[in-house]
């Protein structure tokens, strides 16, 4: 493969690149290429994700404002919070995960959103599955440092419309 072809791949300037070429370029820089397929026929692609967010929303005090897919305020930034809960001008970001595959990646993504999004608190909302519970149990200190508010306290505060006084993990 020519240097020019590699450069076009790295800059996403090719309309079509073969899977073999993408694997070759990824391998050279020490990456594993991962490809996923998503169903395209349904208007709601992730019904489980939507159901998880609905379970949290049903536990909120009626005085709290709930918005979904809230974009970060940076110009041309495509990132968004899955939901934002607002109370007295203090928004709380919600990141929902139906399957927690990589705790470090989720922490990095949330840290960057906190840095760039003007929000100080976040709820990491996880579906109540064996895989997610195992992921949380695998390294509880890591998650506790970023999400120190216990689930019970966080849910109690949100149910009453009170300030949860920090970020936390909620498994529903």
């Amino acid at each position: 493969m020519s240097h020019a072809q590699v450069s076009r791949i790295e800059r996403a300037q090719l309309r079509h690149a073969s899977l073999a070429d993408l694997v070759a370029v990824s391998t050279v820089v020490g990456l594993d290429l991962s490809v996923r397929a998503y169903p395209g026929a349904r208007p709601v692609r992730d019904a489980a994700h939507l159901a998880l967010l609905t379970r949290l929303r049903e536990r909120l005090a009626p005085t709290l404002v709930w918005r979904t897919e809230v974009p970060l305020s940076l110009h041309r930034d495509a990132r968004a919070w899955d939901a934002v809960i607002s109370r007295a001008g203090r928004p709380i970001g919600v990141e929902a995960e139906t399957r927690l595959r990589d705790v470090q990646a989720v922490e990095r993504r949330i840290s960057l959103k906190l840095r760039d999004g003007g929000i100080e608190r976040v709820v990491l909302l996880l579906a109540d599955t064996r895989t997610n519970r195992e992921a949380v149990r695998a390294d509880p200190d890591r998650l506790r440092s970023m999400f120190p508010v216990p689930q019970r306290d966080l849910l109690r505060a949100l149910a009453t419309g009170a300030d949860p006084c920090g970020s936390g993990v909620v498994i529903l």
Side-chain angles (χ1 to χ4, degrees):
M1 185 182 316
S2 71
H3 291 286
Q5 181 77 346
V6 170
S7 179
R8 284 190 293 273
I9 290 172
E10 290 176 335
R11 291 179 287 140
Q13 291 184 332
L14 286 179
R15 290 182 62 99
H16 304 284
S18 74
L19 190 55
D21 286 348
L22 295 176
V23 168
V25 171
S26 298
T27 301
V28 167
V29 295
L31 299 174
D32 292 329
L33 182 66
S34 175
V35 178
R36 293 186 183 174
Y38 295 94
R42 297 182 307 175
V44 178
R45 291 189 180 171
D46 195 350
H49 191 259
L50 185 59
L52 177 59
L53 288 166
T54 299
R55 288 196 299 273
L56 178 62
R57 184 176 188 188
E58 290 170 348
R59 292 173 170 255
L60 301 181
T63 57
L64 297 175
V65 176
W66 173 269
R67 295 179 299 145
T68 57
E69 293 301 322
V70 179
L72 273 74
S73 56
L74 294 175
H75 180 65
R76 292 183 176 246
D77 194 330
R79 295 175 296 165
W81 291 101
D82 291 326
V84 170
I85 302 165
S86 298
R87 61 165 298 283
R90 296 208 59 181
I92 302 166
V94 178
E95 271 304 294
E97 296 287 330
T98 54
R99 183 174 172 100
L100 186 58
R101 290 178 178 90
D102 184 342
V103 173
Q104 288 177 312
V106 169
E107 285 180 327
R108 279 191 302 272
R109 187 175 72 235
I110 291 172
S111 292
L112 291 172
K113 284 184 178 183
L114 288 169
R115 181 194 72 191
D116 299 337
I119 288 181
E120 298 174 2
R121 296 178 179 159
V122 64
V123 172
L124 175 56
L125 178 61
L126 302 175
D128 189 6
T129 65
R130 182 175 48 112
T131 302
N132 289 347
R133 289 189 305 272
E134 288 172 359
V136 169
R137 279 195 300 267
D139 194 357
D141 294 334
R142 177 180 203 90
L143 283 174
R144 198 172 300 117
S145 68
M146 188 170 183
F147 305 100
V149 178
Q151 174 173 307
R152 180 180 295 129
D153 296 345
L154 196 140
L155 286 175
R156 185 180 308 121
L158 293 175
T160 61
D163 184 357
C165 299
S167 298
V169 175
V170 171
I171 299 175
L172 293 177

